[in-house]
Amino acid sequence: MTIVVPVELLPHLRRARDVADRNYAEPLDLAALATAARVSKYHFLRCFAAEYGETPMQYVTRRRTSGRRPGRGSRGASCSCSG
């Protein structure tokens, strides 16, 4: 079964993803992210996974393990290596 995410829900999903991006080092759970999206946690889980290809907690875990803010590549980063 394919879930089609209603277009009017997309800004709410982005808001929750932004909360996860800003607070990934803090304790986050499904209920907190669903509250940010202003939908039930079950509806949020299904729609987030359908839109982003991973569950909200998979997204948070990936953010935590990468330790980087999205959109920050090597541009503007400095590295001083001594050798």
Side-chain angles (χ1 to χ4, degrees):
M1 180 172 126
T2 302
I3 295 175
V4 177
V5 178
V7 71
E8 60 272 4
L9 184 59
L10 295 177
H12 299 281
L13 294 178
R14 283 192 293 272
R15 182 182 314 112
R17 190 182 63 185
D18 290 344
V19 166
D21 287 339
R22 284 191 307 274
N23 302 298
Y24 67 89
E26 303 298 321
L28 286 171
D29 62 10
L30 184 63
L33 294 175
T35 298
R38 300 179 184 157
V39 295
S40 78
K41 60 184 179 180
Y42 304 106
H43 188 59
F44 174 69
L45 175 64
R46 287 188 302 269
C47 291
F48 190 98
E51 183 64 24
Y52 298 115
E54 58 189 344
T55 68
M57 293 300 94
Q58 288 171 328
Y59 181 80
V60 169
T61 299
R62 185 170 52 79
R63 292 286 293 117
R64 286 176 175 157
T65 57
S66 74
R68 292 184 14 197
R69 297 259 178 202
R72 286 196 167 178
S74 60
R75 189 170 10 135
S78 64
C79 176
S80 59
C81 301
S82 57

